[in-house]
Amino acid sequence: MTTSILPVDASVLGTFDIVHVLDPMELETHLKFVETQSTFDYFQATRDFLELQAHAYSGPVAFYGDKHGVFRIDTAGSDQGDGMIPTSSRVSERLHGRVWSYQSQDRDLIRVRFDNPITWITQRRLGSMTISNGGDRFAAQIDIGGDGIDGYCFSAVLDGRVTLIQNGTETTCASTNGIVFRATPGTRLMASDANARENLWIGASTLEHALENMLGNRLHGPLVFKPGFDWSSGLAASLRGQIDFLMHEIKRQGGAGDNPVALASLIDLVVSLVLRGIPHNYLERLDSGRFAAVPAYVRRAEDFMRANAAVVIRMEQVAAAAGCSVRTLGAVFRHFRDTTPLAALHAIRLEHVHAELKHAATGGSVAEVARRYGFTNPGRFTAAYRRRFGETPTETAKRHSR
């Protein structure tokens, strides 16, 4: 085994600088770093794995090996300048489809040979969730690049510590302290020596849609969690217990992970624990209960706005469709939606633009789509769009045109 620099494309169970063999029952990924690109190295890694498992289980073992495209050799530091080994290829869709890069914090370890793996990563997809765990023998710097991952990670550290660096803020996770982050490009994690961690990933759209249903209202801006929190009390402790349960359950054949009905119920429970138990920018409104019973006026008005988002409409028309006066419409929106009818219409139009750009519903440019929904000032439109979705409309269009 060679370098301690670990490039990992998160869409696979290892990358092309790594020979990996997966035991699906134990969900272990065995990583072997090699200097040569040869079939011999692949079979040698397979043999090492079989011998290890046969010794552990005292009998025959079943395994999964992904030979296709296993190797990609780039000499660390040869022409990169920073010692990083680039990677972009994929061999599996088992994990997220974005790129991570791992780099040793100790530059003296570069090119050091090791007799045993210095990192491990295991992961399994469960509907809109992903359960993973991993660890490093030596302190590692983990960076999220590419387009990032459109999801939230809730992390618990079993050994050592991990520091999240995001938007200029540092948050350290150790012992009963947890961290949560949306995996946007530029996010960095600094893991200590001898660390081990468990992670729960949930798709951003899953959480945001569930939150909108709880509030009975569309979100005014992105869901933002407080990066650090306490795993030891309240519903956060219940969520921590569910993560432990899932880590054990996914190893069993015929368990909840293999039963669609049971899995759907588990996802609902976990999502509810996340939104009720982990601090975020909508939690106070969620706990207040003021959005529990939304009057028919509001729902009829919102339905009318959505159906007519691409045409010019006046608040008198909205009020008429809702069956109330303009004054009453404003009052119920302020009380039950914490906004005005005009602001709600603006948000609905932004949602329509986002949907068209995301799903390429039309072949028009960003400006054409924006104008279709009444956004004639490009600067104001882009600023409002970024506040709502965390990226520019051009970035949305490019990301979903691939």
Side-chain angles (χ1 to χ4, degrees):
M1 299 186 184
T2 59
T3 176
S4 61
I5 298 176
L6 312 176
V8 178
D9 179 333
S11 69
V12 303
L13 294 170
T15 57
F16 298 88
D17 301 286
I18 302 170
V19 177
H20 67 273
V21 182
L22 169 69
D23 174 355
M25 287 297 294
E26 293 298 324
L27 299 175
E28 293 185 10
T29 302
H30 293 254
L31 311 177
K32 180 176 181 179
F33 294 82
V34 297
E35 293 180 334
T36 59
Q37 184 173 196
S38 68
T39 301
F40 173 81
D41 286 309
Y42 174 79
F43 284 111
Q44 184 62 49
T46 302
R47 177 180 177 179
D48 292 345
F49 171 79
L50 290 174
E51 289 179 347
L52 175 67
Q53 297 300 303
H55 176 74
Y57 296 109
S58 301
V61 295
F63 71 95
Y64 164 86
D66 199 337
K67 174 63 172 68
H68 174 67
V70 164
F71 298 101
R72 174 188 171 101
I73 302 302
D74 294 285
T75 302
S78 61
D79 60 357
Q80 302 300 316
D82 58 357
M84 293 299 291
I85 303 177
T87 181
S88 60
S89 304
R90 302 173 183 176
V91 297
S92 169
E93 291 300 322
R94 284 174 174 265
L95 306 185
H96 297 292
R98 306 300 182 209
V99 174
W100 301 70
S101 66
Y102 280 61
Q103 182 176 11
S104 172
Q105 293 185 40
D106 185 350
R107 305 296 291 173
D108 292 335
L109 290 176
I110 295 178
R111 298 183 183 281
V112 174
R113 292 178 178 273
F114 300 98
D115 295 328
N116 297 299
I118 61 174
T119 194
W120 50 275
I121 303 168
T122 70
Q123 198 155 327
R124 181 174 174 184
R125 187 85 177 189
L126 295 172
S128 58
M129 304 189 305
T130 298
I131 286 290
S132 72
N133 60 5
D136 308 281
R137 287 171 56 192
F138 305 107
Q141 174 181 306
I142 308 165
D143 291 288
I144 300 176
D147 297 321
I149 299 170
D150 195 18
Y152 297 86
C153 178
F154 303 83
S155 185
V157 171
L158 308 178
D159 295 297
R161 66 185 183 280
V162 175
T163 297
L164 167 70
I165 304 174
Q166 193 174 51
N167 301 321
T169 301
E170 294 189 9
T171 306
T172 298
C173 173
S175 184
T176 61
N177 295 325
I179 53 173
V180 54
F181 59 92
R182 189 165 185 167
T184 54
T187 298
R188 173 170 292 177
L189 298 166
M190 305 293 285
S192 70
D193 289 334
N195 75 84
R197 53 197 181 272
E198 288 183 349
N199 299 317
L200 167 68
W201 288 88
I202 305 180
S205 60
T206 297
L207 286 178
E208 290 173 345
H209 181 68
L211 181 56
E212 287 179 339
N213 286 338
M214 290 179 179
L215 293 174
N217 188 19
R218 290 184 177 271
L219 305 185
H220 301 316
L223 171 61
V224 180
F225 287 92
K226 181 181 177 182
F229 61 91
D230 182 6
W231 278 120
S232 65
S233 61
L235 292 181
S238 300
L239 177 62
R240 183 72 180 84
Q242 288 301 312
I243 294 174
D244 289 337
F245 167 77
L246 288 171
M247 286 302 306
H248 291 285
E249 186 68 11
I250 59 179
K251 299 177 183 179
R252 298 196 307 110
Q253 287 184 329
D258 298 320
N259 186 300
V261 176
L263 180 58
S265 297
L266 268 177
I267 292 174
D268 287 343
L269 171 61
V270 170
V271 167
S272 179
L273 291 175
V274 165
L275 294 176
R276 297 284 186 180
I278 307 300
H280 58 80
N281 56 330
Y282 288 93
L283 185 58
E284 183 177 351
R285 293 172 59 194
L286 193 63
D287 289 342
S288 69
R290 61 184 292 197
F291 298 94
V294 179
Y297 293 151
V298 174
R299 299 192 184 279
R300 287 196 293 264
E302 289 173 336
D303 289 343
F304 180 79
M305 291 177 185
R306 293 190 185 99
N308 296 277
V311 300
V312 177
I313 55 177
R314 302 187 308 275
M315 284 302 107
E316 290 82 358
Q317 294 173 292
V318 176
C324 64
S325 67
V326 173
R327 182 177 180 179
T328 298
L329 185 69
V332 294
F333 263 83
R334 283 192 297 273
H335 182 76
F336 291 95
R337 293 300 195 221
D338 195 28
T339 189
T340 66
L342 189 60
L345 176 60
H346 183 270
I348 287 172
R349 285 173 168 163
L350 281 176
E351 290 283 354
H352 277 69
V353 173
H354 181 257
E356 289 203 17
L357 296 179
K358 184 176 180 181
H359 299 104
T362 68
S365 67
V366 169
E368 290 171 339
V369 175
R371 283 195 297 270
R372 188 178 303 122
Y373 290 98
F375 298 104
T376 57
N377 186 308
R380 292 179 181 176
F381 163 67
T382 299
Y385 189 98
R386 185 194 290 274
R387 285 195 301 270
R388 174 64 181 86
F389 302 107
E391 62 182 2
T392 67
T394 301
E395 289 170 341
T396 302
K398 287 182 178 179
R399 183 156 53 87
H400 292 282
S401 65
R402 299 171 185 174

